[in-house]
Amino acid sequence: MHSMVCARDGNTMPATVVLGAQWGDEGKGKLVDRLAENATWVARFQGGNNAGHTVVLGDRVLKFHLLPSGITREECGLVLGDGMVIDPWVLDRELNDWVEGGGKDPAGHRLFISNRAHIILPYHTYIDGLDKKIGTTGRGIGPTYADKINRIGLRFADLPYCNFEEMAERQNQSLEDAGCRQRVTASELEEQIGWIRQRFASAITDTGILLDNALKMGERIILEGAQGCLLDIDQGTFPFVTSSVTSRGNATHGAGIHPGHVESVIGITKAYITRVGNGHMPTELFDEDGDHLGTVGHEFGTTTGRKRRCGWFDAVVMRHANRINGFTELALTKLDVLGGLDEIKICVGYKMGDAEINEMPASAIALEDCEPIYVTMPGFPSHSLEEWLGIARRCNSQEIGFTGLPAAAQNYIKKLESLLGVTISSVGLGPDRDATVDRV
């Protein structure tokens, strides 16, 4: 288990950032769930219910879209941070599901909502449903961020000060301009906002101050990202991206604290690569190897249920992600999924016309002209999830780390480390909380 100890003065480091290093869906929820055992707070800093975190506890599979992954740890506080956009109805449903599953409603007790976070209203989802180009989740995320940038969005802090007539008029004009049939009324808005205020009154607070005070008390915080670096609005494969800054630079800003608090940045990456939505993915596979990754890896989106596109590991993508985020370590997930393949390929560069390039082009159109340059590694045998779980438990209980893995799997890990120049600190061998091997 990560002790989260590496601060220069010997004290527990105050803040750890956990980020997706690819196109999202890398397994952040599972890692945050493990780290949260030794943390006081888990804070989301961007995105909304376009995220999907899955945590497996034995026979229980928990799927969260807004609730931070630390919810399974009863002593861990939870924050929905300043940089988020929040659908109150989705949050209410997740909280109710948690309670029905035997948990206690954390709202106002250990779950707190930033008063600076923006609210997703029904009209935002109406607008988002018109998207045909980007392949969004249709959850209203982009239109809510657009209202934020246009300085007409609604924040939790401003709920008591709404002009419902003015809001309805503006929203209906936007719906009409977008060619959308739905309309809203002032009375509907008044009723909805009254419900939001009543439902979450105990949870809405200045969470930046809460986290800052926690850090002053020496408490440990995990800043949990959603999506991945290649979906970042600035640094991703624009325009096939999400609507927020998903990278390290926004982790503290979106949580309302300063970047000096961060001493560890863990990048999460699958042992291969996946993508949901539109946009080019150079290593995408359309053959039996791609079918193997999708089937064995159960590659369907947590949020949308859409089939994920699968491809070989792309070191060009990872170098870009590392430059943006400065990972102090990497967590490699789903290594077990590669089991049973005769050969495993790693993309080390792109061929673009007659040139070979080692960095991602900024243009999504240029990326379409990039063909992967591969190195090939020998594969290793397949095992059942129960067998992989047994291997992981043996590696950890005997404190032998990666040396308990198949030799070809060890060589694959070493090759990735040499290509990326970042240490892989843990390897996932299945969805279970215990199916993770820590480096020793």
Side-chain angles (χ1 to χ4, degrees), residues 26-59:
E26 302 93 349
K28 297 178 289 296
K30 179 186 169 187
L31 180 73
V32 172
D33 173 64
R34 294 181 76 227
L35 294 178
E37 185 177 20
N38 295 317
T40 317
W41 294 93
V42 176
R44 276 275 306 273
F45 61 85
Q46 48 73 226
N49 56 305
N50 55 338
H53 301 305
T54 303
V55 176
V56 179
L57 302 176
D59 294 332

Side-chain angles (χ1 to χ4, degrees), residues 6-11 263:
C6 69
R8 286 180 292 274
D9 61 4
N11 295 324
E263 289 195 4

Side-chain angles (χ1 to χ4, degrees), residues 29-101:
K30 179 186 169 187
L31 180 73
V32 172
D33 173 64
R34 294 181 76 227
L35 294 178
E37 185 177 20
N38 295 317
T40 317
W41 294 93
V42 176
R44 276 275 306 273
F45 61 85
Q46 48 73 226
N49 56 305
N50 55 338
H53 301 305
T54 303
V55 176
V56 179
L57 302 176
D59 294 332
R60 194 174 175 201
V61 179
L62 304 170
K63 295 183 185 292
F64 305 125
H65 304 282
L66 286 170
L67 291 176
S69 302
I71 191 169
T72 60
R73 309 291 186 176
E74 291 290 342
E75 302 304 312
C76 189
L78 311 168
V79 166
L80 303 181
D82 302 355
M84 288 188 68
V85 291
I86 299 170
D87 186 322
W89 294 273
V90 172
L91 180 56
D92 177 60
R93 189 160 62 245
E94 285 194 27
L95 289 169
N96 291 339
D97 288 346
W98 174 250
V99 171
E100 286 175 16

Side-chain angles (χ1 to χ4, degrees), residues 280-345:
H280 189 58
M281 186 172 85
T283 66
E284 185 170 6
L285 294 169
F286 301 96
D287 57 9
E288 58 187 19
D289 289 337
D291 291 339
H292 171 99
L293 296 175
T295 302
V296 178
H298 302 290
E299 293 297 353
F300 295 92
T302 304
T303 299
T304 62
R306 290 183 292 185
K307 186 177 180 180
R308 296 178 185 140
R309 301 151 58 193
C310 299
W312 297 120
F313 189 95
D314 192 331
V316 182
V317 164
M318 283 299 301
R319 280 197 298 269
H320 176 79
N322 188 41
R323 175 173 61 83
I324 300 304
N325 295 292
F327 299 127
T328 56
E329 59 191 271
L330 291 173
L332 188 71
T333 64
K334 292 197 164 184
L335 184 66
D336 58 297
V337 176
L338 297 179
L341 293 170
D342 294 332
E343 293 182 336
I344 304 168
K345 294 183 179 180

